[in-house]
Amino acid sequence: MRTVQRSSAEHYDPPVSVRAEFDESTIVDRTQADPAGAIRTADAVLADRGATERDRAVALWARGLARRELDQLADADRDLEQGWLTARAVAPALAARIAVTWALVVMYRGDASRALRLLDEAEPDLPDDELGSLHVQRGIVRHRQGDLR
């Protein structure tokens, strides 16, 4: 069994459990704190044949978010779209959370109208305690469009 080095100098042995590595409630903070480490962990999850579809979706979300942090927007866009597509069938609330992250990437890549549509589509499936994040993202997109109301 091989050991994979994480940036925090902790080790784990595959198969990787995404629940241990990417707690969905802390994924944004952890990924923003260590984008390169998040990419390594996500790659390990995605290489794990035992990973569930939900695990794969969360790993793609983390990798896409990390790539956004590293200004690798085309790669972030692909990962987040793939994560969203993967999550839609197994976890609509997770897909909605991924869409909130993805919308900002879509906006940065120049399609604010599409970003707003993603947010509108995500809103019904988003847990109530996540709506604030959606509203912030929507405000950022609208501000970028020049809508300051």
Side-chain angles (χ1 to χ4, degrees), residues 71-147:
D71 204 29
Q72 299 169 356
L73 296 179
D75 291 334
D77 194 5
R78 277 189 300 275
D79 284 342
L80 292 167
E81 180 177 22
Q82 188 177 359
W84 177 76
L85 288 169
T86 301
R88 281 190 338 177
V90 296
L94 174 60
R97 295 178 78 199
I98 294 169
V100 171
T101 301
W102 183 25
L104 203 57
V105 171
V106 169
M107 182 208 61
Y108 287 149
R109 296 195 73 208
D111 195 345
S113 295
R114 181 172 172 229
L116 289 173
R117 283 192 307 275
L118 281 171
L119 294 170
D120 289 343
E121 291 170 13
E123 191 166 5
D125 291 323
L126 204 61
D128 289 345
D129 62 346
E130 295 283 334
L131 288 173
S133 179
L134 178 134
H135 295 305
V136 168
Q137 298 293 59
R138 185 177 283 138
I140 291 169
V141 175
R142 286 185 176 154
H143 185 268
R144 179 68 66 99
Q145 288 181 310
D147 182 354

Side-chain angles (χ1 to χ4, degrees), residues 26-87:
T26 61
I27 193 169
V28 172
D29 291 337
R30 290 190 63 183
T31 301
Q32 288 175 333
D34 183 11
I39 290 171
R40 285 190 300 275
T41 302
D43 287 345
V45 171
L46 295 169
D48 179 5
R49 292 183 183 168
T52 66
E53 289 298 294
R54 184 183 189 99
D55 293 345
R56 296 180 61 73
V58 172
L60 286 161
W61 178 24
R63 191 169 73 181
L65 177 58
R67 287 177 165 169
R68 183 185 83 187
E69 292 299 306
L70 297 171
D71 204 29
Q72 299 169 356
L73 296 179
D75 291 334
D77 194 5
R78 277 189 300 275
D79 284 342
L80 292 167
E81 180 177 22
Q82 188 177 359
W84 177 76
L85 288 169
T86 301

